[in-house]
């Protein structure tokens, strides 16, 4: 009985950690990696994209930081363009030069390659920031990851609460999220993009029950507390 109460409570707490109303996307776009630095492939001045990205975290680069970071930014946009052109040649991407082009890359076969490029650039950006800017950047990244949902969001919630997932828990719980995503995608395909909300809710409940069994009491409490703070 007690475990059933925990599962019900955790399902409510973890609702933001599951994508609910949209068709599941690739891990990069749907909760595996947080925000993307670039929003366009054909930018003439990619540094402006980086500055606009950092502005979302209320971070402004000084001239020295911008000069230090520029080579990494130019290398990254070149890599992005190469990825875009390669997949365009295969007919696996929509138009180049707009947000649709980035989105189709992020949700297609290039997702993991794009994620690696983005993660590498994020690390280089972080390296040029001052300590107070790094703290703001970390908070921004975590907030974006939590908005995206999925396993990455759960992991951040646990870390912020001081109850991180253990190396043993991570692959088990990630596997549950992966299976959930596969079943969710199947529901969307079968219903042509409009699945029965009751079936989606049942899937969430079943997945959360499995996740709950793998969490420690402290982690369950941390998850519930995180939900309370959001309300």
């Amino acid at each position: 009985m007690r475990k059933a109460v925990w599962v019900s409570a955790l399902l409510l707490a973890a609702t933001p950690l599951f994508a609910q109303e949209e068709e599941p996307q690739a891990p990069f776009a749907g909760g595996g990696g947080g925000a993307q630095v670039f929003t366009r492939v054909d930018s003439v001045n990619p540094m402006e994209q980086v500055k606009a990205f950092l502005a979302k975290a209320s971070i402004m680069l000084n001239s020295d930081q911008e000069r230090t970071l520029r080579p990494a930014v130019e290398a990254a946009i070149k890599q992005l363009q190469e990825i875009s052109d390669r997949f365009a040649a295969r007919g696996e991407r929509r138009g180049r030069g707009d947000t649709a082009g980035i989105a189709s890359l992020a949700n297609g076969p290039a997702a993991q390659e794009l994620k690696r490029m983005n993660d590498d650039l994020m690390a280089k950006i972080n390296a040029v920031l001052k300590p107070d800017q790094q703290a703001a950047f970390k908070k921004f990244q975590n907030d974006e990851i939590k908005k995206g949902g999925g396993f990455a969001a759960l992991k951040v919630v646990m870390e912020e609460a001081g109850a991180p997932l253990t190396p043993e828990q991570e692959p088990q719980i990630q596997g549950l999220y992966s299976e959930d995503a596969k079943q969710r995608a199947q529901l969307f395909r079968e219903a042509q993009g409009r699945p029965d909300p009751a079936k989606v809710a049942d899937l969430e409940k079943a997945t959360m029950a499995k996740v709950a069994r793998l969490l420690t009491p402290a982690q369950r409490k941390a998850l519930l507390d995180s939900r309370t703070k959001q309300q």
Side-chain angles (χ1 to χ4, degrees):
M1 179 68 179
R2 182 165 182 160
K3 182 177 289 187
V5 172
W6 265 114
V7 170
S8 297
L10 284 171
L11 178 59
L12 291 175
T15 296
L17 304 182
F18 289 93
Q20 294 195 76
E21 298 183 2
E22 297 182 355
E23 186 171 2
Q25 298 175 312
F28 177 64
Q36 301 178 56
V37 177
F38 294 125
T39 57
R40 296 180 62 86
V41 178
D42 65 345
S43 178
V44 176
N45 184 0
M47 182 58 72
E48 291 304 314
Q49 288 196 67
V50 173
K51 290 161 71 173
F53 173 73
L54 291 174
K56 297 176 184 178
S58 300
I59 295 173
M60 293 184 62
L61 299 176
N62 60 37
S63 57
D64 288 339
Q65 289 173 315
E66 188 172 337
R67 184 166 51 252
T68 300
L69 186 59
R70 186 175 294 278
V73 172
E74 292 177 349
I77 195 69
K78 182 178 179 181
Q79 183 180 0
L80 175 60
Q81 290 169 345
E82 289 173 351
I83 294 172
S84 177
D85 290 343
R86 184 172 358 112
F87 281 87
R90 302 179 189 176
E92 295 174 351
R93 178 181 61 76
R94 294 179 303 208
R96 175 179 177 177
D98 54 18
T99 54
I102 290 286
S104 58
L105 282 172
N107 295 315
Q112 290 304 315
E113 190 173 359
L114 189 61
K115 181 181 184 303
R116 284 192 297 272
M117 182 276 296
N118 193 72
D119 288 349
D120 181 64
L121 180 56
M122 293 272 253
K124 290 175 179 175
I125 290 173
N126 188 67
V128 306
L129 300 180
K130 299 176 182 178
D132 61 323
Q133 292 175 319
Q134 289 177 334
F137 191 46
K138 179 65 173 177
K139 182 181 184 304
F140 168 71
Q141 287 178 287
N142 285 349
D143 288 346
E144 290 299 304
I145 290 172
K146 286 186 286 187
K147 287 178 187 176
F151 172 74
L154 175 66
K155 187 175 178 180
V156 166
V157 167
M158 293 292 101
E159 289 173 349
E160 290 183 340
L165 299 177
T166 66
E168 292 75 22
Q169 288 175 314
E170 284 197 20
Q172 296 179 68
I173 295 176
Q174 191 166 23
L176 294 176
Y177 272 88
S178 295
E179 182 59 30
D180 179 274
K182 291 178 183 178
Q183 293 185 40
R184 189 182 301 271
Q186 183 174 348
L187 288 177
F188 273 84
R189 285 195 300 271
E190 293 174 349
Q192 297 182 335
R194 300 178 65 86
D196 182 350
K199 291 183 178 180
V200 175
D202 286 344
L203 175 59
E204 290 173 356
K205 185 179 294 186
T207 300
M208 200 60 238
K210 295 173 184 177
V211 171
R213 284 195 288 270
L214 295 174
L215 298 177
T216 66
Q219 289 170 331
R220 294 171 187 156
K221 182 179 184 302
L223 192 53
L224 287 172
D225 288 347
S226 73
R227 178 58 173 168
T228 300
K229 291 178 182 178
Q230 294 172 13
Q231 293 176 338

